[in-house]
Structures are given as C-alpha cells and as structure tokens.
Amino acid sequence: MAAVCKNSVLRNDSSQSSIDRRFVSLVKAPLTIVRSENPGLLKISIVFDGQFKPLNPIYPLPTEISLVNGALKYTWSILTCCNGTMFCSRSDKSLFLIKMIWWEILRLGIPPYMDSRLCACISRSELKEFLTRTLLTLGVRETEMIAFTSYWDDTFNKDPFFLKYPYLLVQLIEPDDLHKFVPKMVLEGTSATQFAIKRFFFRFKPVEDTERGKSPARFIFELIPHVPDLNAVIDLGGEVVPENFSSPQMSGMKEPFRGYKDSFIKKFILV
C-alpha cells in the first residue's frame, strides 16, 4: 500500500476539462455521520475506482490517501463519541472535533435512466419536509439529517436556475444498486465490526408538472420502516438528474450561492 497523500490530489483535476460533460454526473453532499453508543476507534474509507473521481469540497482532509489495487483510497481515522460528534485525526496525528465528513465526487459514464414510476413527485418547496419524513421512516434521526436536508433545500430553493421548476421527481436508490452511483465505503479499526453501514442516495429531477411519479404519501407508505441502529455510519448523498445533456443543466453542479462552502462547514461540520 503506497501512501500518496498530496494536497494536489484534492484539487479539481485540470484534466477534467477534457471530459465530455454529457457523460459526467456530480454526486453532491455525501455527508458521513457516525452514531455510536460508546467511544471507539474507527477508520472510514472511500475507495475510488476508475468510474469515480474525488472532487472538492472534501472536508476535513483525509487522514491518509493510498493506492489499493490501482484504486484511490481516502481514509478518515476517527474516535467516535456518544453525542454524534467524532474526533478526526489529521495527517500529522493531531485531533479535532467534527460532526460529519463532507465529500463530493464525479461519476464517469452515461447517467443511469431515471424511471419516474419509482419516484415521488413533490412540490419543490416541500422538499425538506419530504426528505425528513423519508429518512425518519428509514431509521435516520432528525438531528443526523438536518445538514443534508438543508443542503438540498438550499440547492433547489436558492439557485435561480431551479426556481422556474415548481416540482421535483425524487428517487431513492435501492441498496443493491448503490454501487452504480457511489464508490465503495469500507470500515476498519478495532470497533469496525460493531457498526452498520447505512447509505442513502437520492436522485432529483426538476420538472414543470405532476404528471409523472407517485404522490409523496404513497412513496413514503411503500417504504419499509427501520428502527435506528445503536451503532451506524450513515452516508447521505444525492445528485441532480438532467432532463437532457445540454450544457445549461451543469448549473446544477455549482454551489447554491457564493460562500456556501464556508458557511456550511461552519454551521454543520465544525463543533
């Protein structure tokens, strides 16, 4: 395992300018939260194979970056706390307290088809409430999801590009299909076997009418309710699905407003 920890790895790769953006998806705001009954040592890793590329914002920086069988592996070494926070280890072995890990990626390849029959069709203004009800049903606590729901509410209700669309199609990806959308997550360390990995990935498509999709009530009713695990690594992510591959849709790849990254980190990640 060869260490390749360089800050340049975390910057946007200039070679991305040559990528055909019709065949690139931006996976936004994967937020990784740890729920722990007792303090414990844990390593959380994201393994980027050829289909996935890490992209800023990534905060905090990984404790270690390595190559494993040709894949780039980002690892955060943490000490879990009982109150939902965690001490994250920097590369110099110093610790600082955070609430979650924020990372984003590019996924290469033609985006998978989005079947509206699997989606809820909701009012854009009701997105935050819908995500909250969905995740509560699936065993995520409200305090664990507030950063995620706020992120997507800001995306669709503060970005002028999306304000012309009154509705959203929202799809929750099935666990067996997650590998198509996000890179593999691995847990290691003395406490790893005590933790369940709970990953939830949503796809959002702005639309102008309600002719497609299920009602929000029906969508949530069809979910299988889950009781929250005592120990879990919870990963929440999503992406905007374009109506077509035209370049204006790339507006969905920018921050909701100037300074959003810093304000988000200050409000939701730092303790």
Side-chain angles (χ1 to χ4, degrees), residues 11-124:
R11 292 197 294 267
N12 296 354
D13 189 342
S14 60
S15 66
Q16 289 167 3
S17 60
S18 63
I19 295 175
D20 189 335
R21 289 199 164 194
R22 294 173 300 169
F23 307 115
V24 173
S25 299
L26 176 64
V27 175
K28 301 182 73 173
L31 302 174
T32 303
I33 303 105
V34 178
R35 181 194 304 155
S36 183
E37 188 178 22
N38 297 299
L41 296 174
L42 188 64
K43 289 185 176 183
I44 302 173
S45 297
I46 306 296
V47 182
F48 302 96
D49 61 18
Q51 184 185 4
F52 302 100
K53 285 181 171 289
L55 182 76
N56 282 330
I58 295 176
Y59 189 88
L61 297 182
T63 309
E64 179 186 7
I65 302 175
S66 57
L67 286 174
V68 181
N69 297 324
L72 197 60
K73 182 180 180 182
Y74 279 25
T75 300
W76 289 266
S77 297
I78 65 169
L79 172 64
T80 68
C81 302
C82 304
N83 62 357
T85 62
M86 51 184 150
F87 285 97
C88 185
S89 176
R90 296 184 174 97
S91 58
D92 64 3
K93 307 304 180 183
S94 62
L95 298 175
F96 70 115
L97 192 61
I98 58 172
K99 299 173 187 175
M100 64 190 69
I101 299 166
W102 180 15
W103 52 281
E104 298 195 350
I105 62 171
L106 288 176
R107 187 181 67 245
L108 308 181
I110 299 175
Y113 172 70
M114 187 176 186
D115 189 343
S116 62
R117 294 172 298 179
L118 304 176
C119 302
C121 187
I122 66 170
S123 169
R124 176 173 45 78

Side-chain angles (χ1 to χ4, degrees), residues 152-221:
W152 285 104
D153 186 60
D154 287 343
T155 295
F156 289 111
N157 289 298
K158 293 185 178 179
D159 185 337
F161 178 84
F162 296 116
L163 297 183
K164 61 185 176 182
Y165 298 97
Y167 302 102
L168 294 169
L169 287 176
V170 184
Q171 179 185 7
L172 175 64
I173 300 302
E174 294 290 333
D176 289 345
D177 291 328
L178 281 172
H179 67 281
K180 301 176 184 177
F181 297 91
V182 287
K184 183 179 180 181
M185 175 177 282
V186 178
L187 301 185
E188 300 168 297
T190 57
S191 301
T193 57
Q194 302 173 22
F195 287 84
I197 297 179
K198 300 291 184 180
R199 307 188 79 181
F200 304 95
F201 190 82
F202 294 86
R203 305 184 84 198
F204 305 95
K205 187 172 188 176
V207 293
E208 297 179 348
D209 56 60
T210 59
E211 294 182 2
R212 296 169 287 178
K214 307 174 185 178
S215 69
R218 179 186 170 192
F219 182 91
I220 293 172
F221 176 78

